[in-house]
Amino acid sequence: MRGIDAIRLRPLLACATVLLLAGCQLLPESPFAVPAGRTTSELAVAGECQAEVPDFADEPCLLPDWAAFGLASQRGDRAWRDAMLARLQGRASERRLARAVVLAWGSEGQWDQASELYKADLAAAPAELQPLLRYWLNELEGRRAMASRLEGVRGELADSEQRRAALEEENADLAEKLEALTAIEQSINLRHQND
């Protein structure tokens, strides 16, 4: 049986491999390109892109700074996020988007606020940064949807548990009534036998 399954899967795996390889070549380079002939990795290695709090001002370091900030937000603990949120106060779009990045890796309660900030200020970000921010927003929305589905499943389980408990109680009541009826029937049968 395994040999037949392997034979069936080989063409599918080959097609998937071809699609993956072809798909990488179809991705546009322009949204992530670094201007002036210097690569992002050259800038990062040279230490030129090391902003602790990213902004929209330094165009060559725009993507490296924001990507590093996103990783720091993901890896940071609650104390780091709280401290960073205090530093990111303000109404400027770059501050609000940076807060969204931090909040997106906070508690589930902060995810809604992060989503609102992303959606409100995404268009204000430089065009080169928008694909990265959109990706982070989509990832956040995916986590929110999964959390919502999980909450729904938990609610269904709780309802199911309540129904099961009610059925067990009803079953116990019926068993008790059946016992009482059986005792009455036995009593009646004994009377008939004695008569």
Side-chain angles (χ1 to χ4, degrees), residues 60-122:
C61 290
L62 190 66
L63 286 173
D65 284 350
W66 280 88
F69 184 70
L71 286 173
S73 297
Q74 186 176 3
R75 294 175 182 156
D77 59 8
R78 183 177 180 170
W80 182 90
R81 279 191 287 279
D82 290 344
M84 191 55 67
L85 287 172
R87 289 179 61 187
L88 293 171
Q89 295 304 313
R91 299 178 57 90
S93 293
E94 59 192 19
R95 293 291 180 160
R96 290 170 49 89
L97 286 167
R99 275 200 312 271
V101 173
V102 173
L103 290 168
W105 293 105
S107 66
E108 283 186 40
Q110 294 174 321
W111 294 356
D112 292 337
Q113 186 180 358
S115 177
E116 290 173 18
L117 289 170
Y118 272 129
K119 290 174 183 174
D121 291 294
L122 185 67

Side-chain angles (χ1 to χ4, degrees), residues 156-175:
E156 289 175 13
L157 286 175
D159 291 345
S160 177
E161 184 63 28
Q162 288 175 349
R163 285 193 301 268
R164 186 190 62 76
L167 288 172
E168 281 182 358
E169 187 177 321
E170 184 181 343
N171 190 23
D173 289 345
L174 289 173

Side-chain angles (χ1 to χ4, degrees), residues 31-54:
F32 300 105
V34 176
R38 296 185 73 188
T39 66
T40 301
S41 59
E42 287 173 346
L43 291 171
V45 169
E48 295 177 35
C49 298
Q50 299 296 323
E52 189 175 347
V53 177

